[in-house]
Amino acid sequence: MCSETKTTCPYCGVGCGVIARVEDDGAVSVRGDPEHPANFGRLCSKGSALAETIGLEGRALYPQIFGERASWTAALDLVAEKFSEAIAQHGPDAVAFYVSGQLLTEDYYVANKLMKGFIGSANIDTNSRLCMASSVAGHRRAFGTDMVPGTYEDLELADLVVLVGSNMAWCHPVLYQRLAAAKAKRPGLKVVVIDPRRTATSDIADLHLSIRSDGDVALFNGLLGHLARAGAVDENYVGAHTQGFAQALSAADLSMADLIEATGLPALQIRQFMDLFGRTQKVVTCYSQGVNQSAVGSDKVNAIINCHLATGRIGRPGMGPFSLTGQPNAMGGREVGGLANMLAAHMAIENPEHRDRVQRFWRAPKMAQQAGLKAVDMFEAVADGRIKALWIMSTNPVVSMPDADRVKAAIAACPFVVVSDIEQNTDTTRLAHVLLPATGWGEKSGTVTNSERRISRQRPFLPSPGEARPDWWQMTEVAQRMGFVEAFAYESPADIFAEHAALSTFENHGERDFDIGAYAGIDGTAYEALLPFQWPQPPGQPRMDSRFFKDGHFYHGDGRGRFVATPVNLSERKGGQFAMTLNTGRVRDHWHTMTRTGKSARLSAHIGEPFCEIHPLDAHALRVDDADLVEICAEGGARVIVRALLSERQSRGCVFVPMHWTDETASLSRINALVPPLTDPVSGQPALKQGAVSVAHYAPGVYAFAVSRHKPEGLAADYWALAKAEGGFRVELAFDQPVEDWEAWARRSFAIGPDAALTGYSDRHGGRTRLAFFAGDQLICALFVAPSPVAVSRSWIVSQLAAPQPDPMTRHALIAGRPGAGRPDPGALVCSCFNIGVNEIGGAVMSGCRSVEAIGKALSAGTNCGSCRPEIRRIVDSFEVLAAE
């Protein structure tokens, strides 16, 4: 019998409901849950491809000690022994946990309880420090608690939505589609996008402000001053419910000349934005990593909140500041105190009453008395030897942390490193003394919380593979071995969730926002049936209004909200050799370090290698053409080599490089190795979007492109980038010097046996070689070599891995790099959901489809998640221009 399971997507913070279907033969498919209030059935390209990422290839399936297979008993005994030994010899602050927004809330709860209440240190931090810590700091400064006051519905009810540092179309696609649908239904709804790049999100913008990097504080300070001058301040709300307005307004005293200098925007655009915000009552301001990942990220958050407090536009339908969370359970981690400077249940570690309360509830022997080390400081402590034992869970800091090479060296030198992960080989697992195999999405059970405070279940629909075990179980076993048996006697995630809920309501009489006490007595049956719900849900007091602060009640001791003065530093921009500003971030179809999305050929087809988006005029000055390779260097000497993508959507003086590629997927592309460990002084969040770099043309002697049925190992090339493809792999290559024997190189690199048939040609004078290897009528490898970037139809060549090659004509077309006459070439992938290429869309345009909607009806492209719709619109527009010419 086939079965269906309702669960939650493991990607971004939207928290979409997913229905996973398992057929009798074990085949898995997914679709959106039409009843889930986050997505109402929609899924993005990544969510739609989830079933393609759950295979066991590359999985960690058994515990390992120093690279050798071990039993769970031996591995857990060693972890407990080494952590206990470090604590006994050097104190509790000699150990640390570095955890992840990929963990479920129950995992997070056990980790936080073990470290803060029983080990007695607050040295537990999370990769959420890299994405949302400045929002947490801004919320706590303004509201007295880490609270997102609004709901997703507010985006659809607003008359103005301001998107700051958020490429919502690619990073939160389902929310983007809800906003786009609302705008189509209500043309009066205006959208302003504030971003140095003209991203795909700008497709629906009425106004795009290409702001200078870190100019946001000045812009919103200027807006606060404008609101005061224009009489848009709600003086009753400000006077009755807030404090600090005068000081914030004084710090916001900027002239138009100051604003132009700080933001890089023309006066006309600044006035347009301020006038629109000032005269529109129902305003939602959404912000994400472009705000948070900054050395002034906390001030950016508070500058935005200041404008909403001043106008009283908060906590009412269609109004308020809205932090868009990056990870699927960063919010759940914050609820249980998964950051080094927080306690469980939104209590404050610096508050002695809160520490005492949590200690009494847990019956903890030695409660942490102060904040622990935040992520950047934690790895600095690993580097200088203060931390002797480190447990890394479900994250890849060797790639994702700033100053990544130093982080790698620090972990490599740490006396004892434990890594819990689903993957056998990552840049971080390679450094583990003990590797513990964890269960992944589809296998684990627990809860996650999305950006609008909605708690949903992740449910298992697959058996745990090999000897993999849940993260909470691993930590519970270690805790018991360290002597804390009674406090960690959990038998299921339901037990942990019930305790988490009970702590949230313990001695809570409304002075704390986070309260899910209604679920404190939940049992396994009720937990299994748990429906998505928004907190708070106090016991016996169902909350009807899902928004906060309309009534002016905040969570500071006096019940008032706080304006926070955010002064602007009008310093000169850096020049010299490292004059380009590096902006890092995500692409549409990949996630974090690609340990999941990299398994999907469909998701890897849209963008197959790391790239540098650069303005054409900057590229021209550097003598860089589209598809050339470029070398990007930081002041400390770190470097990467990536493909150049020329785009007028990029601001001059800036480059954008995605953060997904690792040493597993490319030769030299860990971009965060170039990012200095500069952090926000309040939140500790690193500035991942404002690196100073140089960019130069990298001119290899030879370029190459290859497809192979077998994954290449140990590629001897000066540049390579590997991606999963249908039926095998694709790889981009470059060499400083030509290879003497390309056939021998290909056979060695792609594990081609001596019996494989070969066809092709080699032009030594022109520097061009094309080789194809066959086993029977099946292509097993094709290699294309040229003195310039290889010009072949990559999508068509990749498709030939799964197609028979029975006759000479077909094989000749393959060597030519393009299909013969009358054969379709879909072109570069545009729509991942339906595998539609650029040539197919262009053909539909030439056949009469003149809009995105018409393309959707003809090809289905853009009709599922919609994140490709901006790209489709650009293709339609470009073909129309060609037709007109």
Side-chain angles (χ1 to χ4, degrees):
M1 288 287 291
C2 66
S3 61
E4 289 192 342
T5 302
K6 288 194 172 187
T7 183
T8 310
C9 180
Y11 289 121
C12 76
V14 175
C16 294
V18 174
I19 298 176
R21 180 182 176 89
V22 182
E23 304 293 344
D24 293 343
D25 62 359
V28 176
S29 61
V30 299
R31 68 182 189 275
D33 181 354
E35 297 180 349
H36 197 287
N39 59 315
F40 298 107
R42 296 182 179 95
L43 289 179
C44 72
S45 57
K46 293 186 289 291
S48 298
L50 274 166
E52 301 167 26
T53 67
I54 56 177
L56 298 186
E57 178 186 1
R59 285 290 298 269
L61 297 175
Y62 47 81
Q64 295 171 59
I65 298 175
F66 299 110
E68 299 294 328
R69 184 167 184 168
S71 67
W72 270 108
T73 298
L76 295 169
D77 284 350
L78 182 60
V79 173
E81 174 190 333
K82 289 294 186 180
F83 269 74
S84 297
E85 182 180 283
I87 294 165
Q89 294 180 5
H90 305 283
D93 288 335
V95 301
F97 294 168
Y98 186 65
V99 297
S100 166
Q102 305 291 301
L103 294 178
L104 303 186
T105 299
E106 292 75 6
D107 303 322
Y108 251 129
Y109 182 88
V110 175
N112 189 59
K113 178 180 178 180
L114 174 57
M115 179 57 75
K116 288 181 181 155
F118 289 79
I119 291 176
S121 170
N123 282 349
I124 173 172
D125 213 47
T126 164
N127 63 8
S128 299
R129 179 72 60 189
L130 311 185
C131 67
M132 301 313 299
S134 290
S135 284
V136 174
H139 292 161
R140 294 179 74 185
R141 291 200 295 183
F143 307 145
T145 188
D146 177 22
M147 162 62 66
V148 177
T151 70
Y152 293 160
E153 184 187 36
D154 290 324
L155 276 70
E156 298 160 324
L157 298 176
D159 293 322
L160 170 63
V161 175
V162 183
L163 302 175
V164 192
S166 166
N167 186 6
M168 185 188 278
W170 280 19
C171 298
H172 300 92
V174 170
L175 272 191
Y176 174 80
Q177 285 308 308
R178 288 183 65 167
L179 176 58
K183 184 171 173 56
K185 186 176 180 180
R186 290 195 296 116
L189 192 165
K190 302 296 183 185
V191 175
V192 175
V193 172
I194 302 172
D195 196 310
R197 301 166 62 217
R198 187 172 179 83
T199 65
T201 303
S202 302
D203 185 61
I204 62 169
D206 298 281
L207 177 63
H208 171 237
L209 302 181
S210 183
I211 196 166
R212 180 170 291 161
S213 182
D214 276 352
D216 314 76
V217 175
L219 181 65
F220 281 90
N221 276 358
L223 175 59
L224 184 64
H226 168 81
L227 295 171
R229 292 189 298 272
V233 172
D234 186 336
E235 295 180 356
N236 290 331
Y237 188 90
V238 170
H241 304 303
T242 71
Q243 70 175 48
F245 176 68
Q247 294 88 333
L249 186 60
S250 177
D253 185 16
L254 297 171
S255 68
M256 181 57 72
D258 290 337
L259 287 173
I260 293 170
E261 171 62 25
T263 65
L265 299 171
L268 177 61
Q269 284 194 334
I270 293 172
R271 291 193 182 98
Q272 280 181 294
F273 168 59
M274 292 182 178
D275 289 345
L276 182 59
F277 193 108
R279 69 173 183 265
T280 307
Q281 183 68 10
K282 297 175 73 173
V283 182
V284 172
T285 305
C286 298
Y287 53 91
S288 194
Q289 311 305 359
V291 166
N292 294 312
Q293 290 178 337
S294 165
V296 291
S298 299
D299 279 358
K300 290 184 184 184
V301 171
N302 286 112
I304 291 168
I305 293 174
N306 285 346
C307 295
H308 281 272
L309 290 176
T311 53
R313 298 171 187 167
I314 188 169
R316 291 184 282 169
M319 305 184 204
F322 203 116
S323 165
L324 296 176
T325 310
Q327 295 194 78
N329 202 32
M331 290 283 280
R334 286 146 62 177
E335 290 160 8
V336 302
L339 292 165
N341 56 316
M342 298 177 72
L343 275 182
H346 282 198
M347 285 181 270
I349 198 166
E350 66 272 15
N351 186 318
E353 291 183 7
H354 289 184
R355 293 197 303 269
D356 174 70
R357 179 181 296 130
V358 175
Q359 184 168 12
R360 285 186 287 107
F361 180 86
W362 281 343
R363 299 179 182 176
K366 43 187 174 182
M367 196 73 188
Q369 297 298 300
Q370 60 187 13
L373 295 171
K374 299 170 185 175
V376 170
D377 295 332
M378 177 182 289
F379 285 101
E380 183 60 33
V382 175
D384 65 25
R386 282 174 288 158
I387 288 178
K388 311 295 183 182
L390 174 66
W391 192 343
I392 300 169
M393 305 176 202
S394 192
T395 187
N396 196 2
V398 171
V399 179
S400 58
M401 284 291 295
D403 203 8
D405 286 343
R406 179 166 169 77
V407 169
K408 180 179 181 179
I411 297 173
C414 186
F416 187 67
V417 176
V418 184
V419 178
S420 300
D421 209 298
I422 66 170
E423 291 298 305
Q424 170 70 32
N425 295 308
T426 74
D427 295 52
T428 301
T429 58
R430 286 200 297 266
L431 305 178
H433 299 111
V434 176
L435 175 61
L436 302 178
T439 48
W441 183 82
E443 303 152 6
K444 60 202 301 185
S445 177
T447 57
V448 293
T449 306
N450 73 359
S451 293
E452 64 168 352
R453 294 175 280 106
R454 190 176 301 279
I455 296 175
S456 300
R457 286 276 281 112
Q458 270 197 20
R459 295 182 173 91
F461 53 88
L462 295 171
S464 299
E467 298 177 31
R469 297 292 184 270
D471 294 276
W472 68 264
W473 179 88
Q474 298 176 24
M475 288 177 281
T476 293
E477 289 291 314
V478 169
Q480 291 179 0
R481 283 165 167 80
M482 294 176 72
F484 312 125
V485 176
E486 184 178 344
F488 292 87
Y490 306 117
E491 295 185 358
S492 71
D495 295 342
I496 303 167
F497 186 80
E499 182 177 308
H500 166 50
L503 175 56
S504 76
T505 202
F506 180 60
E507 299 179 356
N508 186 354
H509 307 291
E511 70 272 14
R512 305 198 308 271
D513 62 332
F514 182 72
D515 189 341
I516 56 170
Y519 300 94
I522 197 168
D523 59 17
T525 301
Y527 182 76
E528 183 57 34
L530 186 66
L531 296 175
F533 70 92
Q534 277 182 301
W535 61 260
Q537 293 287 337
Q541 303 173 43
R543 181 183 173 91
M544 302 304 295
D545 189 354
S546 57
R547 299 175 179 88
F548 279 79
F549 310 137
K550 174 184 176 181
D551 60 0
H553 172 71
F554 294 88
Y555 289 89
H556 287 291
D558 59 5
R560 289 174 171 263
R562 299 286 193 273
F563 286 90
V564 177
T566 55
V568 176
N569 180 13
L570 296 172
S571 58
E572 293 185 8
R573 302 185 70 199
K574 184 173 182 177
Q577 179 184 355
F578 302 97
M580 298 290 279
T581 298
L582 171 65
N583 176 11
T584 67
R586 296 174 179 162
V587 298
R588 189 187 76 189
D589 291 349
H590 278 309
W591 175 256
H592 284 198
T593 60
M594 295 197 293
T595 52
R596 181 182 286 118
T597 55
K599 294 183 175 183
S600 167
R602 178 156 53 117
L603 296 179
S604 298
H606 182 237
I607 296 175
E609 66 178 321
F611 66 90
C612 164
E613 187 179 84
I614 185 171
H615 193 280
L617 293 178
D618 288 332
H620 178 74
L622 297 168
R623 299 183 179 180
V624 170
D625 291 327
D626 210 11
D628 279 351
L629 292 173
V630 294
E631 181 180 50
I632 307 175
C633 298
E635 200 163 4
R639 58 192 279 267
V640 300
I641 299 173
V642 295
R643 190 75 62 178
L645 174 63
L646 277 57
S647 173
E648 292 184 349
R649 300 169 75 86
Q650 177 61 268
S651 296
R652 292 211 60 190
C654 301
V655 292
F656 172 83
V657 181
M659 51 77 71
H660 307 292
W661 277 266
T662 73
D663 287 346
E664 293 287 316
T665 49
S667 54
L668 199 63
S669 64
R670 287 166 47 249
I671 191 62
N672 282 343
L674 275 62
V675 177
L678 179 66
T679 61
D680 180 289
V682 180
S683 69
Q685 179 157 357
L688 295 173
K689 294 184 175 292
Q690 292 87 25
V693 297
S694 66
V695 181
H697 184 211
Y698 177 74
V702 180
Y703 294 83
F705 171 72
V707 296
S708 171
R709 284 186 175 274
H710 305 293
K711 184 177 181 179
E713 301 289 346
L715 283 168
D718 296 291
Y719 168 83
W720 58 267
L722 180 70
K724 190 79 171 66
E726 201 65 48
F729 297 86
R730 54 181 287 182
V731 58
E732 301 285 348
L733 300 145
F735 304 80
D736 290 343
Q737 300 294 329
V739 172
E740 182 66 26
D741 186 339
W742 284 110
E743 179 188 346
W745 183 92
R747 288 185 183 275
R748 182 172 61 252
S749 300
F750 298 103
I752 303 170
D755 297 333
L758 170 66
T759 187
Y761 75 88
S762 180
D763 174 8
R764 286 184 174 273
H765 180 72
R768 289 177 170 81
T769 297
R770 297 192 174 190
L771 306 174
F773 299 85
F774 298 89
D777 66 352
Q778 293 294 313
L779 174 69
I780 57 174
C781 178
L783 174 67
F784 303 82
V785 181
S788 57
V790 176
V792 295
S793 175
R794 284 161 168 75
S795 59
W796 180 78
I797 291 169
V798 166
S799 71
Q800 299 310 293
L801 284 171
Q805 311 284 325
D807 59 78
M809 290 299 294
T810 303
R811 297 188 179 192
H812 289 158
L814 180 64
I815 294 299
R818 299 190 183 281
R823 298 185 181 184
D825 174 12
L829 185 72
V830 175
C831 176
S832 296
C833 296
F834 294 103
N835 285 311
I836 306 298
V838 62
N839 293 344
E840 295 171 288
I841 295 171
V845 174
M846 300 307 288
S847 298
C849 297
R850 293 292 192 265
S851 67
V852 174
E853 290 70 26
I855 295 292
K857 289 180 180 179
L859 302 174
S860 297
T863 60
N864 183 40
C865 77
S867 56
C868 64
R869 289 171 67 89
E871 193 169 349
I872 294 172
R873 181 168 285 109
R874 292 199 297 274
I875 295 168
V876 171
D877 292 344
S878 65
F879 270 84
E880 286 187 334
V881 170
L882 290 173
E885 293 175 349

